Amino acid sequence: MGEILTIGEPMVVFEAQESDVDLAKAQKFQKFSAGAELNVAIGMARLGHPVDYVSAVGADPFGVYLRHVLRTDGVADAAMLTKPGLPTGFYLKQRVSHGDPAVAYFRQGSAAANYQPEDLQTVSLTGVRFAHLSGIFAALSPNCLAAYRQLNADLVYNRIPVTFDPNLRPTLWDSQAEMVRVTNDLARYGTIVMPGLSEGRTLTGKQDPEEIADFYLQRGVTTKAVVVKLGAAGAFAKLADGRKFSVPGFTVPRVVDTVGAGDGFAVGLISSLLEGQPLPAALQRANVIGALAVQSPGDNDGYPTRPQLDQFYADHGLV
């Protein structure tokens, strides 16, 4: 297996080409790969880190396309099953001149949503140094939640660090109360918990980034740090030993698409920690890749290769 493992639902996204047009009226769309954990896998592979992606797709053109995308970017797909007779999920995404785009999902009953705990028999943790999990996969179905919990328990047993991103998708849950309860329970077993500020407020009822961090540090079973993503303002982090850091974000000339920025943040954080960088440096890289992500269409098109990342650091006088 690779040194990084993640599990999620891969999807195809069709992004509208006309700006600020309602999805029902848009006529032209461009196809991209999508899915929060898939984004992280692609971003890590572009920086030279071997990644294994665990999931399932249908035996359909979307599934074939996604497998091709993963292989092209160097992500191992041996643990991505094909489930004949079940569809691969997709969604439509609005193009906007400012703010977050509207989306419409078509993922109910997908191959990934039918992933079973016993499907994890194809997954080996040998050589895995880090795992990235998010609340999306757990929200897909009861069987996905069971598979998530089993994998997370295996990771904890093998002392493999886990980054947990809540990645709230309210439409996937039966109620907000269930979403909050289950997501906060899953967060207890993340080594690093990384909510966005808005997510943290929804999940904890707290308003201040440090209060949100304290909420998860106090309740965590394996939690050693909490990173609160602050968007353009950067990030705040607090460790279990009380140390805390605030790292500013980067101003970009134009925001094209905000979807995928949080996953890009995760790419920067995890890759830096794998390379032995201290947390403040990891937060800086996380902010860099998040800033690069919002300047490109598609959910992961803006994620840099290693030379591109090095060039950004040189252009901005970063160490």
Side-chain angles (χ1 to χ4, degrees):
M1 300 293 284
E3 63 179 3
I4 302 128
L5 179 143
T6 188
I7 185 170
E9 179 175 25
M11 291 189 294
V12 173
V13 56
F14 292 92
E15 181 178 303
Q17 297 303 286
E18 307 108 313
S19 292
D20 302 316
V21 175
D22 186 275
L23 282 174
K25 298 179 180 179
Q27 297 293 317
K28 297 179 181 180
F29 294 83
Q30 184 173 359
K31 181 176 71 174
F32 297 96
S33 63
E37 302 85 358
L38 178 141
N39 292 338
V40 172
I42 287 175
M44 295 297 297
R46 286 184 187 163
L47 293 178
H49 291 282
V51 186
D52 284 286
Y53 183 69
V54 181
S55 190
V57 293
D60 53 30
F62 288 170
V64 172
Y65 165 72
L66 290 168
R67 202 173 287 279
H68 171 73
V69 168
L70 288 174
R71 292 176 177 176
T72 299
D73 272 302
V75 177
D77 66 343
M80 186 169 77
L81 308 178
T82 296
K83 290 183 176 279
L86 295 171
T88 304
F90 73 98
Y91 71 98
L92 307 179
K93 181 169 66 172
Q94 185 186 33
R95 174 169 288 188
V96 294
S97 55
H98 63 276
D100 295 330
V103 297
Y105 289 107
F106 301 84
R107 65 198 306 180
Q108 187 173 6
S110 69
N114 280 277
Y115 194 92
Q116 305 295 326
E118 52 266 31
D119 291 334
L120 290 170
Q121 295 173 7
T122 64
V123 178
S124 169
L125 299 183
T126 302
V128 175
R129 297 175 55 202
F130 235 106
H132 179 70
L133 305 179
S134 101
I136 297 176
F137 186 77
L140 293 177
S141 61
N143 45 281
C144 283
L145 177 58
Y148 178 107
R149 290 190 186 279
Q150 180 177 323
L151 177 59
N152 202 169
D154 291 342
L155 292 165
V156 171
Y157 178 80
N158 286 278
R159 298 183 179 181
I160 297 172
V162 174
T163 47
F164 175 71
D165 188 335
N167 262 329
L168 297 183
R169 299 293 187 273
T171 58
L172 295 179
W173 296 95
D174 289 338
S175 68
Q176 177 159 314
E178 182 194 32
M179 177 181 73
V180 170
R181 177 181 59 80
V182 176
T183 303
N184 282 338
D185 183 58
L186 298 178
R188 298 173 65 225
Y189 300 93
T191 313
I192 301 175
V193 180
M194 41 189 301
L197 180 59
S198 178
E199 290 177 324
R201 288 171 172 169
T202 297
L203 290 167
T204 69
K206 311 295 184 183
Q207 297 299 307
D208 180 74
E210 186 167 3
E211 291 179 333
I212 293 169
D214 288 338
F215 178 93
Y216 289 110
L217 289 171
Q218 291 164 6
R219 289 162 177 76
V221 175
T222 59
T223 307
K224 296 182 179 179
V226 177
V227 175
V228 182
K229 295 171 285 187
L230 306 176
F236 171 83
K238 189 170 183 178
L239 281 66
D241 63 11
R243 286 181 294 159
K244 51 190 176 181
F245 311 95
S246 292
V247 177
F250 294 87
T251 301
V252 299
R254 178 169 175 256
V255 174
V256 175
D257 188 347
T258 59
V259 177
D263 304 323
F265 184 97
V267 169
L269 181 74
I270 299 167
S271 62
S272 290
L273 295 176
L274 279 170
E275 294 162 21
Q277 298 294 317
L279 186 56
L283 294 173
Q284 177 176 263
R285 184 187 291 185
N287 287 334
V288 166
I289 298 182
L292 290 170
V294 302
Q295 298 180 72
S296 297
D299 289 12
N300 54 58
D301 278 34
Y303 297 172
T305 61
R306 181 70 62 172
Q308 290 170 335
L309 181 63
D310 291 343
Q311 187 62 54
F312 184 97
Y313 270 65
D315 291 345
H316 291 79
L318 303 175
V319 180

